[in-house]
Amino acid sequence: MKIKISPLTETFGTLIESNGDNNIFDVNQEDIVSWFKNSSLLLFRGFAVDTEEFKKFSNLFSTEFMSYVGGAYSRVAIAGDKTLLSVTGGKLTFAVPFHGEMYYKQHRPEMMWFYCAMPPVKDGQTTICDGIEVYRQLSPATKELFKHQKIKYIRTYQDGAWQQIYQTDDFSTVEEVCQANNLRLQVNSDNSITTEYICPAVVETRNAKEQTFLNNILPVVAQEKQGQKASLVRLEDNSVIPEEVIEEIQAVTEKLTYLVNWQRGDIVMLDNCRLMHGRKAFADTQRDIYVRLTNPAFN
């Protein structure tokens, strides 16, 4: 079997490329695990994989597939499978700033899978950024800020909205989810709810134990600047993250951006304990990318 193995960037990522005649299930599984551990992101291209094959392939390396209960954005289960989801916003075409998946709650996936059922006509690339390199390139002052101050996610959902977010009408189930995720829950007089979650902006990677800048600061700040108040992010003392810090994070992540220019049948295997991701805006409604949220079935 002839496949081409090449690096995607200087610090992360491996491209596993077929010549068009290879079966993805014939790629050595131990090699796949090794490549992933070493580079944190694998892009499989040219294997002509359909949706069912993608699910079977991702099953080989995954455990504890997660639904999107408590997720911040709109996602749709594909063909009724709650482990196979549309990406954020489905067919909505707005850009999504860099973030770690579900870092606004304690229980989040350590690994993510993306599958391109249909690429966009133009633009709409998935963006990837190495949180280790982001942290290294932040100024000493910003590092010091996040060393001494954690961040706080504050999310308020009106009656009717929290039922969609938590996928239940049973308030006791919402309480259980919040307790399991260290979310402080407040029920308001109008039957809306407010949750708070405090966590560091800089975390350790899964195995190497390096410092990585990995959080949901940028999307939440972008929403607030657009006038949306459902989700806010503050420093732990409730002060606003300084604008110069936000601008610095945006500049560093922009400089370190890698673009996945989707081709039909592409599969991406991503380490959600190191890398941030997002997407570029696009104009067409053709783009159809699926995601699975999971943990690795290997150490």
Side-chain angles (χ1 to χ4, degrees):
M1 180 176 65
K2 293 182 179 179
I3 56 173
K4 181 180 179 181
I5 309 298
S6 54
L8 290 176
T9 78
E10 292 182 359
T11 66
F12 73 90
T14 300
L15 173 64
I16 300 102
E17 194 168 12
S18 168
N19 63 8
D21 298 323
N22 298 314
N23 188 319
I24 197 169
F25 295 97
D26 292 334
V27 182
N28 186 279
Q29 292 184 27
E30 291 183 359
D31 286 343
I32 290 172
V33 171
S34 178
W35 295 329
F36 182 77
K37 287 182 176 180
N38 289 331
S39 67
S40 299
L41 182 142
L42 304 182
L43 170 56
F44 299 87
R45 174 162 287 168
F47 289 94
V49 177
D50 64 21
T51 303
E52 288 303 312
E53 289 169 326
F54 162 65
K55 289 167 61 176
K56 291 176 183 177
F57 181 70
S58 52
N59 286 346
L60 296 174
F61 305 94
S62 308
T63 185
E64 300 176 56
F65 283 102
M66 301 177 188
S67 66
Y68 200 54
V69 172
Y73 306 99
S74 60
R75 285 190 168 158
V76 176
I78 306 301
D81 183 349
K82 291 185 178 181
T83 77
L84 183 67
L85 306 169
S86 66
V87 291
T88 297
K91 294 295 185 179
L92 300 178
T93 62
F94 55 82
V96 178
F98 278 118
H99 62 283
E101 188 65 29
M102 301 181 82
Y103 269 75
Y104 43 76
K105 58 198 286 284
Q106 180 169 313
H107 294 295
R108 50 191 179 249
E110 294 183 4
M111 188 168 73
M112 299 179 66
W113 293 90
F114 293 90
Y115 171 71
C116 180
M118 181 63 69
V121 175
K122 182 182 178 183
D123 303 323
Q125 301 97 330
T126 290
T127 55
I128 311 290
C129 189
D130 187 351
I132 293 175
E133 280 300 308
V134 174
Y135 179 72
R136 287 173 179 165
Q137 295 193 27
L138 290 175
S139 67
T142 295
K143 289 180 181 177
E144 196 70 11
L145 172 67
F146 289 124
K147 178 180 178 181
H148 293 289
Q149 283 245 40
K150 294 181 178 179
I151 54 177
K152 179 189 291 186
Y153 297 103
I154 307 164
R155 304 169 70 195
T156 299
Y157 294 110
Q158 300 302 315
D159 188 19
W162 62 257
Q163 291 89 338
Q164 293 181 325
I165 293 295
Y166 289 93
Q167 300 177 28
T168 182
D169 293 324
D170 185 355
F171 189 75
S172 63
T173 301
V174 177
E175 290 180 310
E176 291 174 3
V177 172
C178 290
Q179 289 172 2
N181 283 280
N182 285 341
L183 293 169
R184 179 180 175 272
L185 174 64
Q186 174 182 309
V187 183
N188 304 311
S189 58
D190 59 357
N191 207 36
S192 65
I193 65 170
T194 300
T195 63
E196 293 184 357
Y197 179 63
I198 297 172
C199 63
V202 178
V203 299
E204 288 188 337
T205 57
R206 181 170 173 265
N207 289 321
K209 302 302 181 186
E210 295 183 76
Q211 297 290 96
T212 180
F213 187 79
L214 196 50
N215 50 66
N216 283 68
I217 290 174
L218 292 181
V220 179
V221 167
Q223 290 173 355
E224 185 175 7
K225 287 182 176 180
Q226 293 167 359
Q228 301 177 40
K229 303 296 184 183
S231 292
L232 304 173
V233 61
R234 297 288 186 264
L235 295 172
E236 188 175 5
D237 66 2
N238 291 315
S239 61
V240 175
I241 300 172
E243 182 61 27
E244 61 268 23
V245 172
I246 299 300
E247 291 176 354
E248 180 187 358
I249 296 168
Q250 290 171 330
V252 172
T253 54
E254 181 67 25
K255 180 173 63 174
L256 296 173
T257 297
Y258 172 79
L259 298 177
V260 179
N261 291 289
W262 289 110
Q263 296 181 20
R264 190 168 187 171
D266 278 355
I267 293 175
V268 164
M269 181 182 184
L270 179 143
D271 183 351
N272 193 45
C273 298
R274 172 180 176 177
L275 304 177
M276 291 193 287
H277 65 281
R279 77 159 176 244
K280 294 288 188 181
F282 56 103
D284 64 88
T285 58
Q286 174 177 297
R287 186 184 193 270
D288 206 9
I289 310 294
Y290 304 152
V291 65
R292 303 189 88 185
L293 312 176
T294 185
N295 290 327
F298 50 85
N299 294 322

